[in-house]
């Protein structure tokens, strides 16, 4: 009898400690304000064609470890209810980030803000900051760590704090039809989620256990290029995450690019808990980006040639909320893709072979 009572008490305590009832859209909080993440870049393997921006660390902090250039990113979004549109229903989001490689490791930081208003996404107003480090661990294997903190307000107030951990395998050899396969593993939101003093309705319509994004969320991803010919390239990524270990969210994305200049992305997500509670499946997201080369007139300039990548994305969420996002990513300088040269006996200096 004592064992039964003890087990029941422990079960009730565990249920209260790990109550999981996020609002609709709560697990998508980090991608609502960025077109790259919204259209398939919300992946622990870097998306279909490995387009990594500073905010990618929100899904796997190891993703930026391969970056050789300083990267700046800025984006914004507009959310509104298409069926009952008025000025009070407008919501918006903004995101800014930076990645800075050094000799020892790669540093990244991003700030994400969402002010959902009454657009139909009951996530309220949030501002979350991520700061991460990433480094090559072994050949083709990379590791990363984030620290994050957030403030939630408008329906009461609350805060979050914690860390993320991630691994990335980025292969150079093909496996069957998979070219340059990538495997991403991450554990996100290890810490305190907001929700205890933040009154937003969860997916079941109550205000109990609405902490979000889900605490202790494992994520696994596979991405690869599947076609590369005549300037065309196509790839995919597939992710599975398990928020609070009480839900399953599946993300699938495809992308096609031409000459690495123009890229079309399509992403789709299935959130099992939201669907089980009667939520309507989101439409696929669509994103478009183009690469513009920037040249400097200074021949010895370290950033003699840089790139800017404007992008836009759109998604119809839950058949009511329209989310339109636009932004740009600036890559300063050129990647070093040449192998190191070895000289013997100063052959190039004296012209002797």
């Amino acid at each position: 009898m004592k064992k039964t009572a003890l087990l029941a008490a422990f079960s009730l305590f565990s249920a209260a400690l790990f109550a999981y009832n996020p609002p609709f859209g709560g697990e998508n909080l980090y991608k609502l304000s960025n077109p790259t993440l919204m259209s398939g870049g919300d992946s622990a393997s870097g998306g279909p064609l490995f387009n990594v921006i500073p905010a990618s660390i929100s899904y796997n902090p190891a993703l930026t470890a391969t970056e050789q250039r300083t990267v700046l990113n800025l984006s914004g979004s507009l959310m509104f209810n298409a069926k009952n549109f008025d000025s009070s229903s407008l919501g918006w989001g903004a995101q800014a980030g930076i990645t800075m490689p050094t000799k020892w490791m790669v540093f990244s930081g991003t700030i994400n803000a969402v002010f959902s208003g009454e657009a139909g996404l009951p996530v309220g107003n949030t501002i979350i900051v991520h700061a991460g480090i990433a480094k090559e661990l072994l050949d083709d294997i990379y590791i990363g760590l984030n620290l994050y903190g957030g403030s939630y307000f408008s329906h009461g107030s609350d805060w979050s704090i914690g860390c993320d951990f991630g691994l990335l395998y980025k292969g150079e050899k093909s496996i069957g039809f998979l070219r340059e396969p990538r495997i991403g593993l991450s554990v996100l939101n290890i810490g305190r989620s907001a929700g205890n003093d933040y009154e937003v309705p969860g997916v079941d319509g109550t205000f109990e256990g609405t902490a979000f994004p889900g605490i202790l969320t494992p994520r696994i991803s596979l991405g690869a290029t599947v076609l590369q010919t005549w300037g065309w390239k196509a790839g995919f990524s597939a992710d599975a995450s398990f928020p609070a270990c009480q839900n399953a969210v599946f993300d699938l994305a495809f992308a096609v690019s031409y000459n690495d200049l123009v890229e079309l992305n399509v992403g789709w997500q299935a959130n099992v808990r939201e669907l089980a509670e009667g939520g309507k499946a989101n439409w696929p997201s669509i994103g478009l980006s183009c690469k513009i080369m920037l040249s400097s007139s200074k021949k010895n300039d370290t950033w003699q040639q840089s790139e800017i990548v404007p992008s836009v994305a759109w998604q119809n969420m839950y058949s009511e909320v329209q989310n339109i996002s636009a932004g740009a990513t600036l890559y300063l300088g050129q990647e070093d893709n040449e192998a190191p040269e070895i000289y013997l006996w100063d052959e190039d200096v004296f012209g002797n072979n």
Side-chain angles (χ1 to χ4, degrees):
M1 185 67 180
K2 291 183 178 180
K3 291 183 178 180
T4 303
L6 185 61
L7 180 61
F10 179 78
S11 299
L12 289 173
F13 174 76
S14 299
L17 184 62
F18 295 107
Y20 180 73
N21 183 32
F24 282 98
E27 297 299 347
N28 291 326
L29 194 60
Y30 300 141
K31 71 176 186 178
L32 292 174
S33 55
N34 186 277
T36 300
L37 300 183
M38 195 172 83
S39 58
D42 56 331
S43 170
S45 62
L49 296 177
F50 200 67
N51 289 330
V52 173
I53 61 175
S56 298
I57 64 173
S58 303
Y59 296 91
N60 185 347
L63 288 174
T64 55
T66 63
E67 186 57 64
Q68 301 177 13
R69 300 172 290 181
T70 297
V71 182
L72 304 173
N73 177 256
L74 182 65
S75 63
S77 64
L78 183 66
M79 295 168 279
F80 57 92
N81 191 311
K83 292 186 177 180
N84 300 299
F85 179 79
D86 60 67
S87 58
S88 65
S89 73
L90 290 175
W92 61 277
Q95 181 271 323
I98 183 171
T99 294
M100 297 181 296
T102 70
K103 182 179 179 180
W104 299 278
M105 60 187 64
V106 179
F107 295 89
S108 297
T110 181
I111 179 170
N112 178 74
V114 173
F115 296 81
S116 65
E118 302 300 328
L121 291 178
V123 296
N125 300 338
T126 67
I127 299 177
I128 304 174
V129 177
H130 283 76
I133 57 175
K135 182 178 178 61
E136 182 178 10
L137 184 64
L138 298 169
D139 289 343
D140 302 330
I141 298 179
Y142 307 88
I143 190 171
L145 174 69
N146 287 340
L147 297 178
Y148 69 85
S151 177
Y152 298 65
F153 49 97
S154 79
H155 299 286
S157 62
D158 210 340
W159 52 274
S160 65
I161 190 170
C163 64
D164 309 315
F165 175 77
L167 288 169
L168 173 69
Y169 166 76
K170 191 171 184 285
E172 297 181 358
K173 296 181 179 180
S174 299
I175 301 177
F177 67 94
L178 302 178
R179 302 185 180 187
E180 300 178 346
R182 293 167 274 113
I183 298 175
L185 300 171
S186 59
V187 182
L188 309 175
N189 309 323
I190 308 170
R192 183 189 190 277
S193 295
N196 294 332
D197 298 314
Y198 196 61
E199 295 184 352
V200 294
V203 290
D204 66 0
T206 72
F207 292 84
E208 299 296 327
T210 55
F212 67 100
I215 185 174
L216 195 62
T217 297
R219 192 177 189 101
I220 184 171
S221 175
L222 171 66
T225 301
V226 295
L227 173 68
Q228 190 167 359
T229 181
W230 296 101
W232 291 95
K233 183 188 294 185
F236 80 97
S237 64
D239 284 54
S241 60
F242 307 94
C245 299
Q246 297 184 54
N247 188 10
V249 181
F250 302 99
D251 291 270
L252 185 63
F254 295 92
V256 177
S257 73
Y258 181 69
N259 283 340
D260 289 328
L261 295 177
V262 180
E263 184 173 321
L264 175 67
N265 290 266
V266 177
W268 184 76
Q269 182 185 89
N271 186 313
V272 173
R273 183 65 182 273
E274 291 183 351
L275 295 174
E277 294 291 347
K280 296 182 179 180
N282 289 332
W283 288 28
S285 58
I286 300 175
L288 182 65
S289 63
C290 64
K291 182 185 298 184
I292 302 172
M293 308 303 294
L294 304 175
S295 298
S296 171
S297 58
K298 299 180 181 180
K299 293 184 178 181
N300 296 323
D301 192 348
T302 304
W303 296 338
Q304 183 177 354
Q305 186 166 320
S306 301
E307 304 168 0
I308 186 170
V309 183
S311 57
V312 295
W314 165 86
Q315 186 176 22
N316 184 336
M317 305 177 67
Y318 310 110
S319 299
E320 295 181 357
V321 180
Q322 306 291 323
N323 189 5
I324 301 173
S325 184
T329 304
L330 178 63
Y331 298 86
L332 297 172
Q334 292 178 283
E335 289 185 298
D336 183 8
N337 296 318
E338 296 182 1
E341 297 180 1
I342 300 176
Y343 300 101
L344 299 177
W345 303 294
D346 293 329
E347 59 182 4
D348 274 22
V349 176
F350 298 103
N352 298 322
N353 295 322

Short mmCIF file of all heavy atoms in Angstrom, two decimals, residues 274-309:
data_model
loop_
_atom_site.label_atom_id
_atom_site.label_comp_id
_atom_site.label_asym_id
_atom_site.label_seq_id
_atom_site.Cartn_x
_atom_site.Cartn_y
_atom_site.Cartn_z
N GLU A 274 -0.65 19.22 -31.69
CA GLU A 274 -1.60 20.20 -32.20
C GLU A 274 -2.69 19.53 -33.03
O GLU A 274 -3.87 19.88 -32.94
CB GLU A 274 -0.86 21.27 -33.01
CG GLU A 274 0.03 22.17 -32.19
CD GLU A 274 0.69 23.26 -33.00
OE1 GLU A 274 0.59 23.23 -34.24
OE2 GLU A 274 1.31 24.16 -32.39
N LEU A 275 -2.29 18.58 -33.88
CA LEU A 275 -3.28 17.87 -34.70
C LEU A 275 -4.23 17.05 -33.83
O LEU A 275 -5.43 16.96 -34.11
CB LEU A 275 -2.57 16.97 -35.71
CG LEU A 275 -1.73 17.70 -36.78
CD1 LEU A 275 -0.98 16.69 -37.62
CD2 LEU A 275 -2.61 18.58 -37.65
N ALA A 276 -3.71 16.45 -32.76
CA ALA A 276 -4.54 15.64 -31.87
C ALA A 276 -5.56 16.49 -31.13
O ALA A 276 -6.64 16.00 -30.76
CB ALA A 276 -3.66 14.88 -30.89
N GLU A 277 -5.24 17.75 -30.90
CA GLU A 277 -6.15 18.66 -30.20
C GLU A 277 -7.08 19.39 -31.16
O GLU A 277 -7.75 20.34 -30.76
CB GLU A 277 -5.34 19.68 -29.38
CG GLU A 277 -4.54 19.08 -28.25
CD GLU A 277 -5.41 18.55 -27.12
OE1 GLU A 277 -6.63 18.86 -27.10
OE2 GLU A 277 -4.88 17.82 -26.27
N GLY A 278 -7.13 18.97 -32.41
CA GLY A 278 -8.06 19.55 -33.37
C GLY A 278 -7.51 20.70 -34.18
O GLY A 278 -8.27 21.34 -34.94
N GLY A 279 -6.24 20.98 -34.06
CA GLY A 279 -5.64 22.05 -34.86
C GLY A 279 -5.55 21.66 -36.32
O GLY A 279 -5.35 20.50 -36.65
N LYS A 280 -5.70 22.63 -37.18
CA LYS A 280 -5.60 22.38 -38.62
C LYS A 280 -4.14 22.35 -39.04
O LYS A 280 -3.32 23.12 -38.53
CB LYS A 280 -6.36 23.45 -39.40
CG LYS A 280 -7.86 23.44 -39.13
CD LYS A 280 -8.58 24.49 -39.96
CE LYS A 280 -10.07 24.46 -39.70
NZ LYS A 280 -10.80 25.49 -40.50
N ALA A 281 -3.81 21.47 -39.95
CA ALA A 281 -2.44 21.36 -40.44
C ALA A 281 -2.04 22.64 -41.18
O ALA A 281 -2.83 23.22 -41.92
CB ALA A 281 -2.30 20.15 -41.37
N ASN A 282 -0.81 23.08 -40.93
CA ASN A 282 -0.30 24.25 -41.63
C ASN A 282 -0.08 23.95 -43.10
O ASN A 282 0.25 22.83 -43.48
CB ASN A 282 1.03 24.70 -41.01
CG ASN A 282 0.85 25.31 -39.64
OD1 ASN A 282 -0.20 25.88 -39.34
ND2 ASN A 282 1.86 25.20 -38.80
N TRP A 283 -0.25 24.97 -43.91
CA TRP A 283 0.12 24.86 -45.32
C TRP A 283 1.64 24.80 -45.42
O TRP A 283 2.35 25.25 -44.51
CB TRP A 283 -0.39 26.08 -46.09
CG TRP A 283 -1.87 26.12 -46.31
CD1 TRP A 283 -2.85 25.57 -45.53
CD2 TRP A 283 -2.54 26.78 -47.38
NE1 TRP A 283 -4.08 25.85 -46.03
CE2 TRP A 283 -3.92 26.58 -47.18
CE3 TRP A 283 -2.11 27.52 -48.48
CZ2 TRP A 283 -4.87 27.10 -48.05
CZ3 TRP A 283 -3.07 28.03 -49.34
CH2 TRP A 283 -4.43 27.82 -49.14
N PRO A 284 2.16 24.28 -46.53
CA PRO A 284 3.62 24.36 -46.74
C PRO A 284 4.07 25.81 -46.82
O PRO A 284 3.35 26.68 -47.33
CB PRO A 284 3.82 23.64 -48.08
CG PRO A 284 2.63 22.75 -48.23
CD PRO A 284 1.49 23.50 -47.59
N SER A 285 5.24 26.09 -46.31
CA SER A 285 5.84 27.42 -46.43
C SER A 285 6.64 27.49 -47.73
O SER A 285 7.18 26.48 -48.19
CB SER A 285 6.75 27.71 -45.24
OG SER A 285 7.77 26.72 -45.15
N ILE A 286 6.71 28.67 -48.30
CA ILE A 286 7.43 28.88 -49.56
C ILE A 286 8.40 30.04 -49.38
O ILE A 286 8.02 31.10 -48.88
CB ILE A 286 6.47 29.18 -50.72
CG1 ILE A 286 5.49 28.01 -50.93
CG2 ILE A 286 7.24 29.44 -52.01
CD1 ILE A 286 4.42 28.28 -51.96
N GLY A 287 9.65 29.83 -49.76
CA GLY A 287 10.65 30.87 -49.65
C GLY A 287 11.46 31.03 -50.93
O GLY A 287 11.68 30.06 -51.66
N LEU A 288 11.90 32.24 -51.20
CA LEU A 288 12.69 32.54 -52.38
C LEU A 288 13.84 33.46 -51.99
O LEU A 288 13.64 34.44 -51.27
CB LEU A 288 11.83 33.21 -53.45
CG LEU A 288 12.52 33.54 -54.79
CD1 LEU A 288 12.94 32.28 -55.52
CD2 LEU A 288 11.61 34.40 -55.67
N SER A 289 15.04 33.14 -52.46
CA SER A 289 16.21 33.97 -52.15
C SER A 289 17.09 34.08 -53.38
O SER A 289 17.04 33.25 -54.28
CB SER A 289 17.01 33.38 -50.98
OG SER A 289 17.53 32.11 -51.32
N CYS A 290 17.90 35.13 -53.41
CA CYS A 290 18.85 35.31 -54.51
C CYS A 290 20.15 35.86 -53.95
O CYS A 290 20.17 36.58 -52.94
CB CYS A 290 18.29 36.23 -55.59
SG CYS A 290 17.98 37.92 -55.03
N LYS A 291 21.26 35.51 -54.59
CA LYS A 291 22.57 35.93 -54.14
C LYS A 291 23.07 37.08 -55.03
O LYS A 291 23.05 36.98 -56.25
CB LYS A 291 23.56 34.76 -54.18
CG LYS A 291 24.96 35.09 -53.68
CD LYS A 291 25.90 33.92 -53.88
CE LYS A 291 25.46 32.71 -53.10
NZ LYS A 291 26.44 31.60 -53.23
N ILE A 292 23.52 38.16 -54.40
CA ILE A 292 24.05 39.31 -55.11
C ILE A 292 25.49 39.52 -54.69
O ILE A 292 25.79 39.62 -53.49
CB ILE A 292 23.22 40.58 -54.82
CG1 ILE A 292 21.75 40.36 -55.22
CG2 ILE A 292 23.80 41.78 -55.54
CD1 ILE A 292 20.83 41.49 -54.79
N MET A 293 26.40 39.55 -55.65
CA MET A 293 27.82 39.72 -55.35
C MET A 293 28.15 41.20 -55.15
O MET A 293 27.70 42.06 -55.91
CB MET A 293 28.68 39.14 -56.46
CG MET A 293 28.32 37.70 -56.85
SD MET A 293 28.41 36.55 -55.48
CE MET A 293 30.17 36.59 -55.12
N LEU A 294 28.95 41.49 -54.14
CA LEU A 294 29.40 42.85 -53.85
C LEU A 294 30.91 42.89 -53.95
O LEU A 294 31.60 42.11 -53.31
CB LEU A 294 28.97 43.27 -52.45
CG LEU A 294 27.47 43.20 -52.13
CD1 LEU A 294 27.24 43.53 -50.66
CD2 LEU A 294 26.69 44.15 -53.02
N SER A 295 31.45 43.79 -54.77
CA SER A 295 32.90 43.87 -54.98
C SER A 295 33.44 45.18 -54.46
O SER A 295 32.80 46.23 -54.54
CB SER A 295 33.23 43.73 -56.47
OG SER A 295 32.81 42.48 -56.97
N SER A 296 34.67 45.10 -53.93
CA SER A 296 35.36 46.30 -53.43
C SER A 296 36.41 46.72 -54.46
O SER A 296 37.03 45.90 -55.13
CB SER A 296 36.03 46.00 -52.10
OG SER A 296 36.87 47.06 -51.71
N SER A 297 36.64 48.03 -54.57
CA SER A 297 37.64 48.56 -55.52
C SER A 297 39.06 48.41 -54.99
O SER A 297 40.02 48.54 -55.73
CB SER A 297 37.35 50.03 -55.82
OG SER A 297 37.37 50.79 -54.62
N LYS A 298 39.20 48.13 -53.69
CA LYS A 298 40.52 47.96 -53.09
C LYS A 298 41.02 46.55 -53.31
O LYS A 298 40.43 45.59 -52.84
CB LYS A 298 40.46 48.28 -51.60
CG LYS A 298 40.02 49.71 -51.29
CD LYS A 298 39.98 49.96 -49.80
CE LYS A 298 39.52 51.38 -49.50
NZ LYS A 298 39.47 51.62 -48.04
N LYS A 299 42.13 46.39 -54.01
CA LYS A 299 42.64 45.08 -54.36
C LYS A 299 43.09 44.27 -53.14
O LYS A 299 42.97 43.06 -53.11
CB LYS A 299 43.80 45.22 -55.35
CG LYS A 299 43.38 45.77 -56.70
CD LYS A 299 44.56 45.80 -57.67
CE LYS A 299 44.11 46.30 -59.03
NZ LYS A 299 45.25 46.33 -60.00
N ASN A 300 43.62 44.95 -52.14
CA ASN A 300 44.13 44.24 -50.97
C ASN A 300 43.13 44.19 -49.83
O ASN A 300 43.48 43.82 -48.71
CB ASN A 300 45.44 44.88 -50.48
CG ASN A 300 46.55 44.78 -51.51
OD1 ASN A 300 46.66 43.78 -52.20
ND2 ASN A 300 47.37 45.83 -51.60
N ASP A 301 41.92 44.57 -50.13
CA ASP A 301 40.88 44.55 -49.12
C ASP A 301 40.54 43.10 -48.75
O ASP A 301 40.29 42.27 -49.62
CB ASP A 301 39.63 45.25 -49.64
CG ASP A 301 38.61 45.51 -48.54
OD1 ASP A 301 38.78 44.95 -47.44
OD2 ASP A 301 37.64 46.24 -48.80
N THR A 302 40.52 42.80 -47.43
CA THR A 302 40.19 41.45 -46.98
C THR A 302 38.79 41.06 -47.43
O THR A 302 38.52 39.90 -47.72
CB THR A 302 40.28 41.38 -45.44
OG1 THR A 302 41.57 41.79 -45.04
CG2 THR A 302 40.02 39.96 -44.96
N TRP A 303 37.89 42.04 -47.50
CA TRP A 303 36.53 41.78 -47.93
C TRP A 303 36.33 42.28 -49.36
O TRP A 303 35.37 42.97 -49.68
CB TRP A 303 35.53 42.47 -47.00
CG TRP A 303 35.59 41.91 -45.60
CD1 TRP A 303 36.05 40.70 -45.22
CD2 TRP A 303 35.15 42.57 -44.40
NE1 TRP A 303 35.94 40.52 -43.87
CE2 TRP A 303 35.40 41.65 -43.34
CE3 TRP A 303 34.59 43.80 -44.13
CZ2 TRP A 303 35.09 41.96 -42.01
CZ3 TRP A 303 34.28 44.11 -42.81
CH2 TRP A 303 34.53 43.20 -41.77
N GLN A 304 37.28 41.93 -50.24
CA GLN A 304 37.24 42.41 -51.61
C GLN A 304 35.96 42.00 -52.32
O GLN A 304 35.43 42.74 -53.13
CB GLN A 304 38.46 41.89 -52.39
CG GLN A 304 38.53 42.42 -53.82
CD GLN A 304 39.78 41.94 -54.54
OE1 GLN A 304 40.66 41.32 -53.94
NE2 GLN A 304 39.88 42.24 -55.82
N GLN A 305 35.48 40.81 -52.02
CA GLN A 305 34.23 40.37 -52.63
C GLN A 305 33.35 39.73 -51.55
O GLN A 305 33.76 38.80 -50.88
CB GLN A 305 34.48 39.36 -53.75
CG GLN A 305 33.20 38.99 -54.51
CD GLN A 305 33.50 38.28 -55.81
OE1 GLN A 305 34.44 38.64 -56.51
NE2 GLN A 305 32.71 37.28 -56.13
N SER A 306 32.16 40.27 -51.39
CA SER A 306 31.22 39.78 -50.39
C SER A 306 29.91 39.41 -51.08
O SER A 306 29.75 39.59 -52.29
CB SER A 306 30.99 40.84 -49.31
OG SER A 306 32.20 41.19 -48.67
N GLU A 307 28.98 38.88 -50.30
CA GLU A 307 27.69 38.48 -50.85
C GLU A 307 26.58 38.97 -49.94
O GLU A 307 26.72 38.97 -48.72
CB GLU A 307 27.60 36.94 -50.93
CG GLU A 307 28.69 36.28 -51.72
CD GLU A 307 28.71 34.77 -51.53
OE1 GLU A 307 27.85 34.27 -50.77
OE2 GLU A 307 29.57 34.09 -52.10
N ILE A 308 25.48 39.37 -50.56
CA ILE A 308 24.26 39.67 -49.82
C ILE A 308 23.15 38.80 -50.40
O ILE A 308 23.03 38.66 -51.62
CB ILE A 308 23.91 41.17 -49.87
CG1 ILE A 308 22.71 41.46 -48.96
CG2 ILE A 308 23.66 41.66 -51.29
CD1 ILE A 308 22.45 42.94 -48.75
N VAL A 309 22.37 38.21 -49.51
CA VAL A 309 21.32 37.27 -49.94
C VAL A 309 19.98 37.76 -49.40
O VAL A 309 19.61 37.47 -48.25
CB VAL A 309 21.60 35.84 -49.46
CG1 VAL A 309 20.54 34.88 -49.98
CG2 VAL A 309 22.99 35.38 -49.89
#
